[in-house]
Amino acid sequence: MGRQDRPWPVITVAAPVRDGKEVVAALSVVAPDTGPGTPAFGPAVRATARAISRLLAEDSGRAAPPE
């Protein structure tokens, strides 16, 4: 990894993955910030984390966390 004179502009979004009420992991996306047209990853990251949480709940026989 080389040195840079200034930080590379990025955006990041994270969401918790739960097993029941306990947070067991986090899902995150880090992407270049390309300005006003930068895609909004938030809804996709949150939806994916909720889907993983539901699968964990189903696999363990627990109730899925509320949305």
Side-chain angles (χ1 to χ4, degrees), residues 15-41:
V17 174
R18 299 176 186 273
D19 187 0
K21 292 184 179 182
E22 182 180 359
V23 174
V24 295
L27 179 66
S28 67
V29 171
V30 178
D33 184 353
T34 57
T38 300
F41 296 107

Side-chain angles (χ1 to χ4, degrees), residues 13-15 27-29 39-52:
V13 177
L27 179 66
S28 67
V29 171
F41 296 107
V45 170
R46 288 189 300 273
T48 303
R50 281 193 307 269
I52 294 169

Side-chain angles (χ1 to χ4, degrees), residues 17-20 46-65 67:
V17 174
R18 299 176 186 273
D19 187 0
R46 288 189 300 273
T48 303
R50 281 193 307 269
I52 294 169
S53 296
R54 280 193 301 273
L55 290 172
L56 286 173
E58 289 173 11
D59 192 45
S60 67
R62 294 187 185 113
E67 296 192 17

